[in-house]
Amino acid sequence: MSEMALQALFVLGCSHHETPLEVRERLALTPERIPALLQELKKCPDFSESLALATCNRLEIYAYAKNDNASQSIQKILCNSLGIKNDFLETHAYQLQNLNAIQHAFSLAAGLDSQILGETEILGQMKQALATAQASKNTGALLNRLFEKSFQAAKIARTQTGIDKGHVSIGNIAADLAKRIFGKLETSRVLLIGSGDVGQRTAKALKNRGVRDLTVTNRTSQNAQELAGQLHAGDLPFNQISSTLHEFDIIISSTAAPNLILKQEDLLAANRLRPAQPFFLIDLALPRDFDPNLEQVENCYLYNLDDLATIANENLARRNAECEPAQRLLNNQAWQLWLQLRRRSLVPIVGSENI
Amino acid sequence: MLENLDLRDRNLFLAATIFYGLAACLALYRILRSKPYPRTGLLPLMAIAFLAQTLALNLRGASVGGCPLGNPYEVSQFISWSAVLLYFIIGPACRLRLLGFFTAAFSAILGLSATLLATWDYTYPAGRYGGEPWIELHAALAIFSYGVLTILALVSAMFLLQQHGLKHKHHKGVYALLPSVQQLDTMAWRLLITGTICLSAALIFGALFWLENPDRVPLLKLIMTGVVWLGYLLVVTLRLGKKLVTRYHAYAVISLFIIALLALWPVQTARQPDAAQTQPAQ
């Protein structure tokens, strides 16, 4: 395969790096609309392979062009599909070619291009995009190889660097701490006080890590019942918190209450009933719901929003420090793929230097 | 080539100490550099050390004509061996991360101390208790219980470390690798029960020997072993009544273990036949 042919590998897209949220809203593509877009791309005679990747932070089209018109054709199809003008797309979109496109795909798979550095969700989204494109027969040898190699490179980068070490979301950090206290979370009983968004996410993160017994309580019993229904949890009358405290291991609070909900004497009373078992208290409310003095109670571990945010920031800083070595490693992997593609004549010779 | 090696027991004990030290250093280096815990690297090093120690104990046993527990040097090596054996037994089943590191570090420190303190390895008459089944059984059980109590003290130290990390919001390095406080607490309780049962059994068999030979067991040894045993029994009783839990329990068992180790000195002094035999063994 000549260098000419590989100049036809390109990616056109927009992401959170260059475009504000209101622009990304206009460029958003729901999963239901992707098969139709792929069909349109497949019909186009200007490229032989194509793939669409749509996430909440980016929209990208990967393609292998047959001629000079491929880029314009993709822009046209995309504008039609999204109902936007070509100028608007051109203002916000970026194009990468050949080795740069390979490097971009590798960085993307490793989470280096993600809003939350090192996150792994993008890898699943890329796999899904590849599966969808393969199902509609939009991809061929080149894009299949590019994506498979991206997944491998991402795995190498994650294994050999600390790019995904340490969680950066409050829910996952709380779940990590819970595991440091209780080990297996299957038998831990969780009480969620209030219906704050962060509290709900933390409860969900704990459920994802194995918690089976979740109870919800709220000042308004109807809200508690609704939330319990959403989270497949039980509900508890708000005035019974103190009397049933000893039955729970993890207590999350995210209410808008102006006063303390849990005082030291409540916890001391509960602690006397189960002195050998620890309490994990997660106070996600502002103003705080739990008495700060609870920290001094034996066998009780109290974390507030600031504590969790500090851990998140430290983890993020560690990931940032790993960014450069990970990028070097990925660039090296991308260069090897680029050489392989050049050497092995993977695809027929077509394309243009201008693409 | 093997015949050129000087396979004397002290050399083998030293080799075991070096390998335990290497295992501990490897794990510590990986922890400090935030690298994955080197379980696969740690186990072979500990296994080599354990084999060397087993061979050394065997050679020493053959030369003294019985279980080699005649001086503090041998007792330290036997306690270390027993703790590592227990780690190999319970480690895979309980999957307590970092226990290997703590066990290797303890064995290396104990081995190094025993090597540096030359006076510990004094000579004593061969076969002093040879042919006394009760006392051999007593000694073997007592040393095994010391192995259990060593692991108990290490697990309790790990518990205190993890609890300190959680209370003071430390989440990196060793804190992220330690097992959960509840796992450690449960394991400590099980080890306490096992250790106390073994120690009690050892004392029962020792008592049978004492009843038959009251003048051969020094009073100081009786008092010290009784104090250690009563101490552990008290901790078990308080723990059962939930009066001694979490870090207080950990402090208690670590303190008792230090007392138990210190108690070996008067016990061994009481056994030491005379000052003329206190030269290091060759």
Side-chain angles (χ1 to χ4, degrees), chain A residues 26-326:
Chain A
R26 292 186 65 187
L27 295 169
L29 199 62
T30 57
E32 298 79 40
R33 288 164 66 190
I34 289 177
L37 174 67
L38 287 173
Q39 283 307 313
E40 289 298 315
L41 292 168
K42 199 177 167 185
K43 280 183 209 164
C44 182
D46 298 327
F47 35 86
S48 56
E49 295 182 38
S50 57
L51 182 149
L53 174 69
T55 72
C56 52
N57 279 328
R58 71 182 65 243
L59 172 64
E60 286 181 348
I61 307 293
Y62 290 80
Y64 177 59
K66 285 179 178 173
N67 57 48
D68 291 350
N69 301 323
S71 177
Q72 278 78 31
S73 301
I74 285 185
Q75 283 186 34
K76 197 174 160 189
I77 293 168
L78 208 49
C79 288
N80 286 342
S81 179
L82 295 167
I84 55 171
K85 289 184 176 170
N86 200 35
D87 293 348
F88 181 78
L89 184 65
E90 274 190 348
T91 311
H92 299 288
Y94 52 77
Q95 279 190 48
L96 299 165
Q97 298 162 4
N98 309 322
L99 179 61
N100 289 337
I102 298 172
Q103 284 175 346
H104 173 74
F106 281 23
S107 299
L108 194 60
L112 295 190
D113 204 51
S114 299
Q115 201 161 33
I116 297 169
L117 187 68
E119 58 97 10
T120 52
E121 204 180 344
I122 186 66
L123 197 62
Q125 289 166 331
M126 285 178 79
K127 284 180 179 172
Q128 182 58 50
L130 179 63
T132 308
Q134 281 174 335
S136 59
K137 295 189 169 52
N138 276 57
T139 57
L142 185 67
L143 288 185
N144 284 341
R145 191 168 178 81
L146 171 67
F147 271 68
E148 293 298 344
K149 284 284 175 187
S150 302
F151 306 150
Q152 284 175 20
K155 193 177 174 186
I156 292 168
R158 287 181 200 282
T159 313
Q160 295 187 10
T161 69
I163 195 67
D164 62 346
K165 295 283 183 294
H167 287 294
V168 289
S169 74
I170 298 292
N172 281 325
I173 289 166
D176 274 355
L177 288 166
K179 284 186 90 75
R180 274 179 63 194
I181 298 167
F182 301 101
K184 290 177 181 169
L185 298 180
E186 282 79 359
T187 51
S188 299
R189 298 194 66 190
V190 179
L191 174 65
L192 173 61
I193 306 171
S195 54
D197 189 41
V198 190
Q200 283 186 47
R201 274 185 285 169
T202 304
K204 280 176 190 167
L206 287 167
K207 281 198 96 174
N208 288 340
R209 301 281 191 98
V211 165
R212 291 184 196 143
D213 195 332
L214 176 65
T215 304
V216 175
T217 186
N218 201 303
R219 264 184 218 283
T220 317
S221 61
Q222 196 187 343
N223 288 354
Q225 283 163 7
E226 280 174 17
L227 188 58
Q230 284 171 29
L231 296 172
H232 305 289
D235 64 293
L236 179 81
F238 197 77
N239 56 8
Q240 287 182 19
I241 293 176
S242 299
S243 59
T244 56
L245 207 56
H246 62 281
E247 294 174 13
F248 298 99
D249 304 302
I250 303 169
I251 301 156
I252 309 162
S253 192
S254 62
T255 72
N259 304 318
L260 294 176
I261 286 179
L262 197 58
K263 292 179 186 143
Q264 199 172 13
E265 55 266 30
D266 299 328
L267 196 75
L268 283 169
N271 204 23
R272 275 193 287 275
L273 294 170
R274 37 172 281 173
Q277 283 175 280
F279 277 110
F280 180 29
L281 308 177
I282 309 167
D283 189 352
L284 302 170
L286 276 176
R288 285 180 282 185
D289 284 341
F290 297 158
D291 184 347
N293 291 323
L294 292 179
E295 206 162 36
Q296 280 140 33
V297 175
E298 183 59 30
N299 221 9
C300 163
Y301 305 98
L302 171 65
Y303 280 73
N304 61 36
L305 209 51
D306 272 5
D307 298 326
L308 298 172
T310 304
I311 297 174
N313 288 334
E314 284 179 18
N315 286 342
L316 198 59
R318 280 168 71 200
R319 286 187 180 192
N320 277 322
E322 292 293 311
C323 201
E324 205 180 300

Side-chain angles (χ1 to χ4, degrees), chain B residues 208-221:
Chain B
L208 292 174
F209 175 81
W210 173 59
L211 288 173
E212 287 172 12
N213 311 275
D215 48 334
R216 285 182 69 186
V217 183
L219 183 65
L220 187 59
K221 179 179 176 177

Side-chain angles (χ1 to χ4, degrees), chain B residues 37-53:
Chain B
Y37 183 59
R39 192 187 296 273
T40 47
L42 197 71
L43 281 175
L45 287 171
M46 286 185 74
I48 293 167
F50 182 72
L51 285 174
Q53 207 172 22

Side-chain angles (χ1 to χ4, degrees), chain A residues 320-337:
Chain A
N320 277 322
E322 292 293 311
C323 201
E324 205 180 300
Q327 190 65 65
R328 266 201 310 272
L329 201 145
L330 289 166
N331 286 348
N332 185 33
Q333 297 279 323
W335 177 248
Q336 283 176 27
L337 176 63

Side-chain angles (χ1 to χ4, degrees), chain A residues 177 179-183 273 275-278 294-303 307 310-311 314-315 318, chain B residues 34 159 162-163 165-172 175-176 178-183 185 239 242 245-248:
Chain A
L177 288 166
K179 284 186 90 75
R180 274 179 63 194
I181 298 167
F182 301 101
L273 294 170
Q277 283 175 280
L294 292 179
E295 206 162 36
Q296 280 140 33
V297 175
E298 183 59 30
N299 221 9
C300 163
Y301 305 98
L302 171 65
Y303 280 73
D307 298 326
T310 304
I311 297 174
E314 284 179 18
N315 286 342
R318 280 168 71 200
Chain B
S34 302
F159 174 90
Q162 181 65 293
Q163 199 190 42
L166 284 162
K167 279 276 185 192
H168 294 87
K169 319 284 188 305
H170 300 308
H171 64 103
K172 287 188 277 193
Y175 300 108
L178 281 166
S180 71
V181 281
Q182 212 165 33
Q183 261 180 303
D185 193 44
R239 173 73 197 236
K242 294 188 176 171
V245 290
T246 64
R247 72 187 158 117
Y248 301 112

